[in-house]
Amino acid sequence: MALYPKLILDALAQVRYPGTGKNLIEMGMIEDDMKIEGETVSFSIIFDKPNDPFIKSVVKAAEATIEAFVGEPVQIKGNITVKAKQAPKPEPEKHLSAVKNIIAISSGKGGVGKSTVSANLAVALARAGYKVGLLDADVYGPSVPKMFGVEDARPYLENIDGRDLIIPAEKYGVKMLSVGFFVSPESATVWRGSMAGNALKQLIGDAHWGELDYFLIDLPPGTSDIHLTVMQTLGITGAIVVSTPQEVALADAKKGIDMFRNEKVNVPILGLVENMAWFTPAELPQNKYYIFGKDGVKNLAEKMEVPLLAQIPIVQSICEGGDKGTPVALNPESLTGMAFDELAARVAEQTEIRNLTQPATEKIKMKQKK
Ligand code: ADP
C-alpha cells in the first residue's frame, strides 16, 4: 500500500496524549516536516518538555497506529524525532503591560545633569499625581539611590502570581530600581556589555513595576550596547536628551539624537533639556551668568527640529538636594521646583502629542496655579 501524508495524519489523529484526552494533531504535537520515501516515513513529534514521561508511550502508540492504518509493516522506527518545544521566553515588555509611557533619558556626555533631571522629573510627575517608576540604568555611575537618599535600600523578592519578582524601592511617590542597589558603587563600572544588558533586562522584566503612567529610564551617557538593549527590549514612547550649552557637550548630544533617530532604533525625541543653562546666585535670583555659553541647547533643538523642554539654571540647591537625597522638585515654591514642574508639564504634553493615553498636562498646570 502506498504511503501518503493524509493516511499518516489520520493515523496520528487516533493517538491520544495521555491525560488530556486530545489526539496528537489537536494538541499541535506533529510538526510540519513529514517526509515519505518509498516505505519509510519520518516526522517529528513535539513535546513541551524534554523529559516528558509520556514520550516513549506516545511514540510507540504512533508507530503501532500507523502500522495498523497502513495494514503492513512500515519503516518508521527511528524516524520519529522527538523535539522539546522551546518554552517561550517571557518578553520583558509583557511585564510592563501596565505601563503607559516609557521615557528614556540620555545624554551625550557624563556629568551634564542627566540623573539630576531624571530624579527631579520623576518627583515632579509623582507630585502631579502620576504613578511613576524610575530605572537607574546608568551602570557606569548609578546615582539615583543617592539622589533619593535610599542608598541602603535592598530590594527584595516576592512571589507574585507564581513568579519571583523584585520589589522596587519607593520614595517621594516614585518606585525605583538601580544597579546601585545590587553592587557597591566602586564595582558598578565593571558592569559592561552583555552583563550590564542582562542585569538591566532583569530590572525591567523581573521587577514588579505594576501600573505606571510614566516609567523613566536614566540611561548611561553616550551611545552603547546598553542603549540598544534597552531600546530593543522595550517599546520606548520617547527619549529626552539632556545637555549643557557647552560646545563639546552639544556635539555629543547631537550624536545621541542621531542614535534615537537611526532607523534601527527609531525612537521619537520628546525634546531636549538644557541643564546648567546659566548660573544664578541665591542672593541675586534675577542675575544670569552664562557660564557654559548662552542658548546652546535651545539652538540645537531648533536646528534638529525637536522641542526644547526646559532650561534649568545652575543653582546650588539643585546640587545640594542631589547630595542630601532631597530633590529640589519636592519644593514647588522654589524657582528650581517650578522649573522642574514646568519640565514635567512639557514632558506630559509631548507624550500626549505622541498619541498617548491621558489628559496629562491639565493636571500639572492646575497644580502649578495653586
Ligand atoms: P549625569 O547624570 O549627567 O552624570 P548628574 O545628574 O550626576 O550628571 O550631575 C552631575 C553633578 O552636577 C551632580 O553633582 C549634580 O548635583 C550637579 N548638578 C546637575 N545639575 C545641576 C544644576 N542645574 N545646578 C547645580 N548642580 C547641578
Side-chain angles (χ1 to χ4, degrees), residues 46-181:
I46 309 162
F47 291 84
D48 271 347
K49 294 188 216 116
N51 57 350
D52 188 312
F54 296 119
I55 290 179
K56 275 197 181 140
S57 53
V58 168
V59 171
K60 274 264 160 271
E63 286 173 358
T65 313
I66 292 171
E67 281 197 6
F69 258 65
V70 177
E72 54 194 72
V74 181
Q75 281 296 320
I76 44 174
K77 230 178 172 178
N79 287 319
I80 298 181
T81 318
V82 172
K83 284 191 183 170
K85 199 196 281 174
Q86 289 254 319
K89 263 199 157 178
E91 286 289 319
E93 60 239 81
K94 282 201 188 121
H95 305 305
L96 293 183
S97 55
V99 175
K100 290 179 183 154
N101 301 300
I102 305 176
I103 295 175
I105 301 168
S106 80
S107 68
K109 289 180 93 59
V112 299
K114 171 183 52 61
S115 298
T116 304
V117 168
S118 303
N120 281 289
L121 174 60
V123 169
L125 286 167
R127 273 195 29 254
Y130 293 106
K131 294 192 181 110
V132 182
L134 173 59
L135 173 67
D136 179 6
D138 190 346
V139 289
Y140 306 118
S143 44
V144 163
K146 184 159 184 56
M147 289 185 176
F148 278 81
V150 291
E151 296 102 313
D152 295 332
R154 289 289 167 266
Y156 54 95
L157 286 181
E158 201 173 293
N159 193 285
I160 291 162
D161 297 334
R163 291 183 67 218
D164 281 334
L165 295 178
I166 306 166
I167 306 298
E170 191 162 351
K171 195 158 178 193
Y172 309 136
V174 177
K175 286 184 186 172
M176 72 200 93
L177 279 179
S178 164
V179 290
F181 289 147

Side-chain angles (χ1 to χ4, degrees), residues 134-315:
L134 173 59
L135 173 67
D136 179 6
D138 190 346
V139 289
Y140 306 118
S143 44
V144 163
K146 184 159 184 56
M147 289 185 176
F148 278 81
V150 291
E151 296 102 313
D152 295 332
R154 289 289 167 266
Y156 54 95
L157 286 181
E158 201 173 293
N159 193 285
I160 291 162
D161 297 334
R163 291 183 67 218
D164 281 334
L165 295 178
I166 306 166
I167 306 298
E170 191 162 351
K171 195 158 178 193
Y172 309 136
V174 177
K175 286 184 186 172
M176 72 200 93
L177 279 179
S178 164
V179 290
F181 289 147
F182 301 91
V183 289
S184 66
E186 298 78 48
S187 62
T189 43
V190 303
W191 288 46
R192 305 226 174 231
S194 62
M195 192 169 153
N198 286 337
L200 288 180
K201 274 190 191 166
Q202 205 177 7
L203 295 188
I204 294 166
D206 295 342
H208 187 54
W209 291 103
E211 265 183 40
L212 295 179
D213 296 307
Y214 290 97
F215 183 48
L216 309 182
I217 306 181
D218 180 4
L219 287 170
T223 54
S224 70
D225 285 355
I226 295 170
H227 295 81
L228 292 179
T229 302
V230 171
M231 301 303 152
Q232 286 159 0
T233 311
L234 295 170
I236 307 276
T237 309
I240 295 173
V241 179
V242 181
S243 178
T244 65
Q246 198 182 357
E247 289 287 333
V248 283
L250 292 173
D252 287 344
K254 186 176 171 304
K255 279 187 210 157
I257 298 173
D258 291 338
M259 171 189 71
F260 289 118
R261 283 185 167 168
N262 180 295
E263 59 183 25
K264 283 198 195 123
V265 175
N266 200 16
V267 166
I269 312 272
L270 294 183
L272 308 188
V273 172
E274 182 166 293
N275 189 34
M276 311 193 187
W278 58 80
F279 169 66
T280 295
E283 59 283 9
L284 295 167
Q286 299 316 315
N287 287 22
K288 292 180 176 177
Y289 301 95
Y290 295 94
I291 294 174
F292 294 126
K294 190 167 185 279
D295 289 339
V297 179
K298 187 175 173 219
N299 295 336
L300 179 67
E302 271 165 28
K303 196 167 131 207
M304 303 293 283
E305 296 180 340
V306 290
L308 176 71
L309 298 171
Q311 289 180 301
I312 312 276
I314 303 176
V315 184

